[in-house]
Amino acid sequence: MQINEKHLLIGNVRWVRSPNHGGYLENKEPDTIVIHYTAGSSAESSVRSLCSETSKASAHLVIGRDGSIFQLVPFNIAAWHAGVSEHSATGRKGLNRYSIGIELDNAGVLTKQNDESYLSWFGKSYPANEVVSAVHRNQTTERYWHLYTQPQLEACLEVCRVLAARYPIRFVLGHEEISPGRKVDPGPAFPLEKFRDKVLDLDRSDVDELADSSEEKPVIMTVNIDRLNIRTGAGPNHDLARSNPLKEGDTVKVLKHQNKWVQVDHNGLIGWVNGKYLKA
Ligand SMILES: [Zn+2]
């Protein structure tokens, strides 16, 4: 699976153009992925709805429960998936301008009929083995949620890794995180934290080459921000390494790269830093 020059995913992907989209993304490429559920009855019906002009909604991708993938909007164009939204870490509002929207076919919140059967808002019932009971991160009471399937989660992870290899993806967010009063998708049935780590810790082949060459000739870089945290792993969720932050002008030896994170050696202290704060 890869992304062609028209910003379309190629491989086993069905391209169905949606008329519901804006102009180019900020910088003409995404740096954020937003995960949603469709709250629908099938991937096909959700694709139809997201391609209908009256819905005024779309997403870049819809992923079915069997792992089938539909693309509706090129990745350099804004789809209409996030709506009123704000990302607290960056202060950005209107996330459609920065992000790729991925819709997973899932019925969403269900109502218990009896021990064997749970009902969706659109009247379809689901067996108990497709349901999990959990408290949503933005709520206080337990509700019933339609489970995602393994092929669907695997397809979503593969797609996100391909996206992160092609574009400067920095954030993988749930819709519930950027529209918390309004939205509960993808909900507690989606393993958001684990998924986020798996996508952002991606190894990139182009930087592996860089790491190989660094064995012959060490690459020395300089910190170009006042204070730079040094962490035990390649990502902002990892603990701080046992040291003060690096300071502007400190030099480090580059050991390897992972996504946009760089493993460095600073006078024998080895840890990871965000590569955008290093200069050659
Ligand atoms: Zn959503």
Side-chain angles (χ1 to χ4, degrees):
M1 189 179 288
Q2 51 185 334
I3 296 166
N4 71 14
E5 68 287 351
K6 293 199 159 78
H7 300 268
L8 301 180
L9 197 58
I10 51 174
N12 203 10
V13 177
R14 275 173 276 178
W15 166 236
V16 189
R17 179 186 293 268
S18 172
N20 305 330
H21 60 79
Y24 286 115
L25 293 178
E26 216 57 25
N27 301 321
K28 294 195 180 176
E29 54 182 16
D31 68 5
T32 301
I33 294 172
V34 180
I35 306 287
H36 304 260
Y37 65 49
T38 56
S41 62
S42 71
E44 287 76 8
S45 70
S46 296
V47 168
R48 271 198 300 279
S49 160
L50 296 171
C51 290
S52 130
E53 276 185 42
T54 53
S55 77
K56 301 266 178 249
S58 64
H60 293 90
L61 300 171
V62 176
I63 302 184
R65 300 185 68 76
D66 60 358
S68 57
I69 301 169
F70 300 82
Q71 184 167 2
L72 281 54
V73 176
F75 296 127
N76 58 340
I77 300 287
W80 296 342
H81 56 97
V84 177
S85 49
E86 179 167 2
H87 182 207
S88 56
T90 54
R92 289 168 166 179
K93 292 181 180 172
L95 272 287
N96 284 344
R97 280 164 49 218
Y98 307 95
S99 64
I100 287 175
I102 301 181
E103 291 275 0
L104 300 173
D105 175 23
N106 181 291
V109 181
L110 303 172
T111 310
K112 189 172 185 170
Q113 286 183 299
N114 53 55
D115 282 348
E116 282 92 52
S117 177
Y118 296 79
L119 198 65
S120 66
W121 70 271
F122 48 87
K124 188 170 162 185
S125 58
Y126 293 87
N129 65 0
E130 285 189 32
V131 181
V132 63
S133 149
V135 180
H136 192 281
R137 66 165 78 212
N138 301 341
Q139 300 174 335
T140 51
T141 52
E142 213 163 66
R143 295 166 90 188
Y144 301 102
W145 305 86
H146 191 199
L147 286 171
Y148 297 90
T149 70
Q150 203 54 36
Q152 185 176 35
L153 293 175
E154 282 168 14
C156 188
L157 180 59
E158 187 186 356
V159 163
C160 288
R161 284 180 161 158
V162 170
L163 289 168
R166 170 68 178 77
Y167 301 110
I169 300 296
R170 297 192 289 150
F171 307 105
V172 179
L173 304 172
H175 199 186
E176 66 202 28
E177 295 178 294
I178 56 171
S179 305
R182 217 164 56 79
K183 293 290 177 178
V184 293
D185 61 316
F190 187 82
L192 189 54
E193 314 296 338
K194 248 195 245 174
F195 189 86
R196 180 160 31 224
D197 286 353
K198 281 188 191 230
V199 174
L200 297 178
D201 282 355
L202 171 80
D203 273 290
R204 294 176 122 186
S205 52
D206 54 338
V207 292
D208 282 345
E209 285 165 25
L210 203 60
D212 289 342
S213 66
S214 73
E215 279 170 22
E216 294 148 28
K217 194 170 135 232
V219 175
I220 305 294
M221 297 187 87
T222 308
V223 174
N224 70 346
I225 185 173
D226 301 359
R227 293 154 60 89
L228 177 59
N229 285 331
I230 179 161
R231 295 183 180 274
T232 56
N237 301 330
H238 290 276
D239 292 338
L240 294 176
R242 181 175 37 80
S243 92
N244 292 315
L246 300 176
K247 292 185 296 296
E248 185 155 20
D250 281 349
T251 56
V252 295
K253 186 161 92 179
V254 173
L255 301 177
K256 63 176 159 183
H257 295 248
Q258 202 175 100
N259 205 357
K260 69 190 172 78
W261 285 72
V262 183
Q263 191 186 36
V264 298
D265 178 347
H266 177 63
N267 300 332
L269 172 80
I270 293 177
W272 292 85
V273 297
N274 189 325
K276 78 175 171 192
Y277 302 117
L278 295 177
K279 63 171 193 239

